[in-house]
Amino acid sequence: MNTEEIGNQITSMAVLYGPKLIGAILVWIIGGWVIKVIGRLVKGALDKSGTDPSLKPFLTGIINGLLKVMLVITVLGMLGIEMTSFIAIIGALGLAVGLAMSGTLQNFAGGVMILIFKPFKVGDVLEAQGYTGTVSQIQIFNTIMKTPDNKTIIIPNGGLSTSSMINYSTEPKRRVDWTIGVGYGDDLDKAKEVIKRLCDEDERILKDPDVFIAVSALADSSVNFAVRAWVNAPDYWGVYFQMNEKVYKTFAKEGLNIPFPQMDVHIHKDG
């Protein structure tokens, strides 16, 4: 093959593939610029919508990644490369990775749902998955909680997002419930009056709604009062524990008995 034939082949290939190559390069450059613009628009929309900061990088990363994959496939197709097999391989790899990471993907999806819908936030006291504690971190795969005795609990977001939970911090007020027993034969009106006085003396107990006090059960060893009072959520445990102590000390001074289970044993002698 002489120089002239080689030159003719190069010219033919340039005429045949040159426009495709130039078009592919232009599409690559313009597509890259469009992806950057879309990325900035998505980031701005997420900022305006108040999306959780932990979620923004993941959403923008996923969108950018999908757009870049589409751009690569488009450019390769313009160059005449057969994409059917390539797309099939990508699909098979995606399926294999999805099956291998099904639990991780479930936790990721759960984290996204939690960050979007916000059933709880950092600082909330939560009861979920058999644990009770204060939420210290909400990560994309796990939620970190601290128990009252300072243990760290790591809960996967997959199960957390699909199961029932109790959020003790959602409402600003909580109701404190006590069951207070007095002995049979004690003055019930006096016992009720003492309980009401102790509640009224505690400034943390709200006046509206008023404290509820009523006989709830005639138990084996005691007459039980159901006592219900409303407090601001941060005061819940302080009021609960201190009222128990006040009732015990005050009942003793007022001559009221707090009964405890007792057993009478009768001994019979034969003969």
Side-chain angles (χ1 to χ4, degrees), residues 110-132:
V112 171
M113 298 297 290
I114 290 171
L115 291 171
I116 289 176
F117 294 104
K118 294 180 173 60
F120 56 86
K121 62 183 184 299
V122 173
D124 284 358
V125 178
L126 204 67
E127 181 179 338
Q129 300 290 293
Y131 300 101
T132 300

mmCIF file of all heavy atoms in Angstrom, residues 110-132:
data_model
loop_
_atom_site.group_PDB
_atom_site.id
_atom_site.type_symbol
_atom_site.label_atom_id
_atom_site.label_comp_id
_atom_site.label_asym_id
_atom_site.label_seq_id
_atom_site.Cartn_x
_atom_site.Cartn_y
_atom_site.Cartn_z
ATOM 1 N N GLY A 110 -34.279 3.823 54.074
ATOM 2 C CA GLY A 110 -34.878 4.219 55.348
ATOM 3 C C GLY A 110 -34.312 5.528 55.850
ATOM 4 O O GLY A 110 -35.040 6.382 56.366
ATOM 5 N N GLY A 111 -32.993 5.710 55.703
ATOM 6 C CA GLY A 111 -32.378 6.970 56.119
ATOM 7 C C GLY A 111 -32.891 8.153 55.319
ATOM 8 O O GLY A 111 -33.135 9.232 55.874
ATOM 9 N N VAL A 112 -33.069 7.939 54.011
ATOM 10 C CA VAL A 112 -33.616 9.014 53.172
ATOM 11 C C VAL A 112 -35.025 9.379 53.622
ATOM 12 O O VAL A 112 -35.373 10.562 53.745
ATOM 13 C CB VAL A 112 -33.613 8.586 51.687
ATOM 14 C CG1 VAL A 112 -34.373 9.606 50.830
ATOM 15 C CG2 VAL A 112 -32.192 8.440 51.171
ATOM 16 N N MET A 113 -35.852 8.368 53.895
ATOM 17 C CA MET A 113 -37.228 8.626 54.338
ATOM 18 C C MET A 113 -37.243 9.373 55.675
ATOM 19 O O MET A 113 -38.040 10.303 55.874
ATOM 20 C CB MET A 113 -37.991 7.311 54.464
ATOM 21 C CG MET A 113 -38.134 6.535 53.168
ATOM 22 S SD MET A 113 -39.100 7.429 51.925
ATOM 23 C CE MET A 113 -40.723 7.331 52.652
ATOM 24 N N ILE A 114 -36.365 8.971 56.589
ATOM 25 C CA ILE A 114 -36.317 9.632 57.896
ATOM 26 C C ILE A 114 -35.893 11.088 57.750
ATOM 27 O O ILE A 114 -36.474 11.988 58.363
ATOM 28 C CB ILE A 114 -35.361 8.883 58.842
ATOM 29 C CG1 ILE A 114 -35.969 7.529 59.250
ATOM 30 C CG2 ILE A 114 -35.066 9.709 60.096
ATOM 31 C CD1 ILE A 114 -35.021 6.625 60.003
ATOM 32 N N LEU A 115 -34.888 11.347 56.916
ATOM 33 C CA LEU A 115 -34.391 12.709 56.750
ATOM 34 C C LEU A 115 -35.393 13.597 56.013
ATOM 35 O O LEU A 115 -35.433 14.805 56.226
ATOM 36 C CB LEU A 115 -33.058 12.682 55.996
ATOM 37 C CG LEU A 115 -31.883 12.075 56.769
ATOM 38 C CD1 LEU A 115 -30.679 11.896 55.867
ATOM 39 C CD2 LEU A 115 -31.514 12.951 57.959
ATOM 40 N N ILE A 116 -36.211 12.984 55.142
ATOM 41 C CA ILE A 116 -37.205 13.776 54.402
ATOM 42 C C ILE A 116 -38.428 14.066 55.267
ATOM 43 O O ILE A 116 -38.869 15.215 55.394
ATOM 44 C CB ILE A 116 -37.623 13.045 53.111
ATOM 45 C CG1 ILE A 116 -36.474 13.057 52.098
ATOM 46 C CG2 ILE A 116 -38.860 13.720 52.483
ATOM 47 C CD1 ILE A 116 -36.764 12.279 50.840
ATOM 48 N N PHE A 117 -39.001 13.025 55.883
ATOM 49 C CA PHE A 117 -40.266 13.183 56.610
ATOM 50 C C PHE A 117 -40.072 13.565 58.077
ATOM 51 O O PHE A 117 -41.034 13.974 58.735
ATOM 52 C CB PHE A 117 -41.098 11.901 56.499
ATOM 53 C CG PHE A 117 -41.567 11.628 55.093
ATOM 54 C CD1 PHE A 117 -40.959 10.647 54.323
ATOM 55 C CD2 PHE A 117 -42.588 12.367 54.539
ATOM 56 C CE1 PHE A 117 -41.381 10.399 53.024
ATOM 57 C CE2 PHE A 117 -43.019 12.130 53.248
ATOM 58 C CZ PHE A 117 -42.413 11.142 52.476
ATOM 59 N N LYS A 118 -38.858 13.386 58.620
ATOM 60 C CA LYS A 118 -38.513 13.840 59.968
ATOM 61 C C LYS A 118 -39.496 13.370 61.047
ATOM 62 O O LYS A 118 -40.128 14.178 61.731
ATOM 63 C CB LYS A 118 -38.422 15.372 60.005
ATOM 64 C CG LYS A 118 -37.273 15.938 59.178
ATOM 65 C CD LYS A 118 -37.254 17.460 59.282
ATOM 66 C CE LYS A 118 -36.015 18.033 58.615
ATOM 67 N NZ LYS A 118 -35.916 17.697 57.177
ATOM 68 N N PRO A 119 -39.670 12.044 61.226
ATOM 69 C CA PRO A 119 -40.500 11.585 62.352
ATOM 70 C C PRO A 119 -39.858 11.872 63.700
ATOM 71 O O PRO A 119 -40.516 11.841 64.728
ATOM 72 C CB PRO A 119 -40.620 10.070 62.105
ATOM 73 C CG PRO A 119 -39.394 9.732 61.307
ATOM 74 C CD PRO A 119 -39.113 10.925 60.458
ATOM 75 N N PHE A 120 -38.564 12.129 63.704
ATOM 76 C CA PHE A 120 -37.853 12.538 64.909
ATOM 77 C C PHE A 120 -36.631 13.337 64.486
ATOM 78 O O PHE A 120 -36.261 13.361 63.308
ATOM 79 C CB PHE A 120 -37.442 11.325 65.759
ATOM 80 C CG PHE A 120 -36.614 10.315 65.008
ATOM 81 C CD1 PHE A 120 -35.233 10.444 64.909
ATOM 82 C CD2 PHE A 120 -37.217 9.217 64.394
ATOM 83 C CE1 PHE A 120 -34.472 9.522 64.217
ATOM 84 C CE2 PHE A 120 -36.460 8.293 63.691
ATOM 85 C CZ PHE A 120 -35.092 8.442 63.608
ATOM 86 N N LYS A 121 -36.027 14.008 65.452
ATOM 87 C CA LYS A 121 -34.838 14.825 65.173
ATOM 88 C C LYS A 121 -33.810 14.608 66.277
ATOM 89 O O LYS A 121 -34.113 13.969 67.307
ATOM 90 C CB LYS A 121 -35.205 16.307 65.062
ATOM 91 C CG LYS A 121 -35.784 16.913 66.330
ATOM 92 C CD LYS A 121 -36.181 18.359 66.109
ATOM 93 C CE LYS A 121 -36.686 19.022 67.394
ATOM 94 N NZ LYS A 121 -37.884 18.348 67.928
ATOM 95 N N VAL A 122 -32.623 15.127 66.066
ATOM 96 C CA VAL A 122 -31.570 15.010 67.069
ATOM 97 C C VAL A 122 -32.022 15.700 68.361
ATOM 98 O O VAL A 122 -32.527 16.816 68.334
ATOM 99 C CB VAL A 122 -30.256 15.643 66.558
ATOM 100 C CG1 VAL A 122 -29.219 15.685 67.670
ATOM 101 C CG2 VAL A 122 -29.717 14.869 65.373
ATOM 102 N N GLY A 123 -31.857 15.001 69.479
ATOM 103 C CA GLY A 123 -32.284 15.526 70.773
ATOM 104 C C GLY A 123 -33.599 14.957 71.259
ATOM 105 O O GLY A 123 -33.935 15.104 72.443
ATOM 106 N N ASP A 124 -34.364 14.296 70.377
ATOM 107 C CA ASP A 124 -35.634 13.708 70.784
ATOM 108 C C ASP A 124 -35.393 12.439 71.602
ATOM 109 O O ASP A 124 -34.440 11.691 71.358
ATOM 110 C CB ASP A 124 -36.491 13.359 69.568
ATOM 111 C CG ASP A 124 -37.135 14.585 68.942
ATOM 112 O OD1 ASP A 124 -36.946 15.690 69.480
ATOM 113 O OD2 ASP A 124 -37.820 14.435 67.914
ATOM 114 N N VAL A 125 -36.285 12.204 72.570
ATOM 115 C CA VAL A 125 -36.261 10.957 73.337
ATOM 116 C C VAL A 125 -37.171 9.967 72.630
ATOM 117 O O VAL A 125 -38.362 10.227 72.436
ATOM 118 C CB VAL A 125 -36.727 11.181 74.789
ATOM 119 C CG1 VAL A 125 -36.735 9.852 75.553
ATOM 120 C CG2 VAL A 125 -35.820 12.189 75.481
ATOM 121 N N LEU A 126 -36.600 8.835 72.232
ATOM 122 C CA LEU A 126 -37.286 7.906 71.349
ATOM 123 C C LEU A 126 -37.315 6.517 71.967
ATOM 124 O O LEU A 126 -36.356 6.083 72.620
ATOM 125 C CB LEU A 126 -36.547 7.861 70.006
ATOM 126 C CG LEU A 126 -37.324 7.441 68.758
ATOM 127 C CD1 LEU A 126 -38.370 8.487 68.429
ATOM 128 C CD2 LEU A 126 -36.359 7.255 67.594
ATOM 129 N N GLU A 127 -38.440 5.817 71.761
ATOM 130 C CA GLU A 127 -38.538 4.400 72.114
ATOM 131 C C GLU A 127 -38.818 3.632 70.830
ATOM 132 O O GLU A 127 -39.881 3.785 70.224
ATOM 133 C CB GLU A 127 -39.651 4.168 73.135
ATOM 134 C CG GLU A 127 -39.782 2.715 73.566
ATOM 135 C CD GLU A 127 -40.864 2.494 74.597
ATOM 136 O OE1 GLU A 127 -41.230 3.462 75.294
ATOM 137 O OE2 GLU A 127 -41.356 1.352 74.702
ATOM 138 N N ALA A 128 -37.845 2.822 70.405
ATOM 139 C CA ALA A 128 -37.982 2.109 69.134
ATOM 140 C C ALA A 128 -37.071 0.898 69.125
ATOM 141 O O ALA A 128 -35.986 0.917 69.727
ATOM 142 C CB ALA A 128 -37.643 3.037 67.968
ATOM 143 N N GLN A 129 -37.504 -0.148 68.439
ATOM 144 C CA GLN A 129 -36.710 -1.367 68.272
ATOM 145 C C GLN A 129 -36.266 -1.949 69.617
ATOM 146 O O GLN A 129 -35.192 -2.547 69.733
ATOM 147 C CB GLN A 129 -35.478 -1.071 67.411
ATOM 148 C CG GLN A 129 -35.788 -0.553 66.014
ATOM 149 C CD GLN A 129 -36.393 -1.612 65.114
ATOM 150 O OE1 GLN A 129 -35.748 -2.584 64.757
ATOM 151 N NE2 GLN A 129 -37.642 -1.415 64.738
ATOM 152 N N GLY A 130 -37.077 -1.752 70.655
ATOM 153 C CA GLY A 130 -36.755 -2.298 71.963
ATOM 154 C C GLY A 130 -35.805 -1.459 72.791
ATOM 155 O O GLY A 130 -35.374 -1.911 73.854
ATOM 156 N N TYR A 131 -35.478 -0.263 72.332
ATOM 157 C CA TYR A 131 -34.552 0.613 73.054
ATOM 158 C C TYR A 131 -35.213 1.958 73.329
ATOM 159 O O TYR A 131 -36.073 2.405 72.572
ATOM 160 C CB TYR A 131 -33.268 0.840 72.245
ATOM 161 C CG TYR A 131 -32.505 -0.418 71.931
ATOM 162 C CD1 TYR A 131 -32.600 -1.018 70.672
ATOM 163 C CD2 TYR A 131 -31.694 -1.024 72.882
ATOM 164 C CE1 TYR A 131 -31.903 -2.177 70.379
ATOM 165 C CE2 TYR A 131 -30.992 -2.186 72.592
ATOM 166 C CZ TYR A 131 -31.097 -2.761 71.345
ATOM 167 O OH TYR A 131 -30.413 -3.906 71.068
ATOM 168 N N THR A 132 -34.755 2.603 74.402
ATOM 169 C CA THR A 132 -35.197 3.950 74.734
ATOM 170 C C THR A 132 -33.966 4.807 74.972
ATOM 171 O O THR A 132 -33.061 4.411 75.717
ATOM 172 C CB THR A 132 -36.077 3.964 75.995
ATOM 173 O OG1 THR A 132 -37.234 3.141 75.776
ATOM 174 C CG2 THR A 132 -36.532 5.380 76.319
#
